[in-house]
Amino acid sequence: MNCPLSANLLANGKYCTGTLRTNRKHLPDAVKEAKLGKGETLERYADGVMVAKWRDKRTVTYMSTEFENVLVTSNNRHNVAPVKPLPIVQYNAHMKGVDWQNQMLAYYPCEHKSLRWYKKIFVHVIEMMLINAFKLHQLANPRSNKPLYNFRL
């Protein structure tokens, strides 16, 4: 296994953790082809980079240069304590805002195929600013339950 970008970032003192697609270049064959049961995990290390696969309801392939692949308990919204790998728990804890914004952007897509690339970027930035303004509106007015559609209007 050789993950040049992750190893280069680690050599410069920068850590990374994230999910991977199974057809990713430089993914070890042992991780790629492993068939796991529920709750099982498999990892491989090289150059300080850990690539692993874990199965709960679905199979998740992930990598991390910061966290070891140890199983920890984490509480969910139903007060159940499932056992998950530490990189997955940390990834979920820090990526919620990005996932929420991507979800909100997907509800009302405005980019058209006919637009030039610079116009698409402009429209995307305006859409992101609108989503951020909606979030700020929700934080400033906690009793307001105005939906995104009405806020956009």
Side-chain angles (χ1 to χ4, degrees):
M1 175 184 82
N2 181 12
C3 295
L5 178 60
S6 299
N8 191 9
L9 287 171
L10 184 61
N12 290 314
K14 308 290 184 224
Y15 298 105
C16 60
T17 299
T19 58
L20 299 171
R21 292 184 181 182
T22 53
N23 62 354
R24 170 95 182 190
K25 194 175 178 181
H26 306 301
L27 194 65
D29 291 333
V31 173
K32 190 184 300 185
E33 297 165 359
K35 304 289 185 212
L36 301 175
K38 185 174 179 171
E40 292 181 347
T41 183
L42 171 78
E43 73 273 349
R44 294 292 183 258
Y45 293 88
D47 301 328
V49 179
M50 183 266 308
V51 176
K53 186 185 254 189
W54 172 65
R55 182 179 174 118
D56 188 34
K57 291 179 184 173
R58 294 180 187 88
T59 302
V60 179
T61 308
Y62 56 95
M63 54 97 35
S64 179
T65 58
E66 184 175 8
F67 305 107
E68 296 290 323
N69 197 38
V70 295
L71 296 174
V72 296
T73 59
S74 65
N75 290 327
N76 62 15
R77 63 179 175 232
H78 303 294
N79 290 329
V80 178
V83 177
K84 298 180 180 182
L86 181 60
I88 297 289
V89 171
Q90 292 296 321
Y91 178 81
N92 289 340
H94 297 289
M95 291 301 289
K96 287 183 180 166
V98 174
D99 290 341
W100 179 82
Q101 186 174 36
N102 288 340
Q103 180 182 0
M104 293 290 117
L105 283 170
Y107 286 149
Y108 305 104
C110 290
E111 293 93 5
H112 298 288
K113 290 183 179 180
S114 63
L115 290 177
R116 305 254 178 188
W117 67 267
Y118 53 87
K119 290 181 181 177
K120 282 185 184 181
I121 291 174
F122 176 75
V123 169
H124 184 74
V125 168
I126 296 295
E127 289 289 315
M128 286 177 40
M129 289 190 304
L130 186 66
I131 296 297
N132 289 338
F134 177 66
K135 183 64 174 181
L136 290 173
H137 172 74
Q138 286 182 326
L139 292 174
N141 305 309
R143 293 186 181 180
S144 171
N145 55 357
K146 183 185 284 191
L148 178 60
Y149 180 77
N150 291 344
F151 185 81
R152 289 174 61 94
L153 291 178

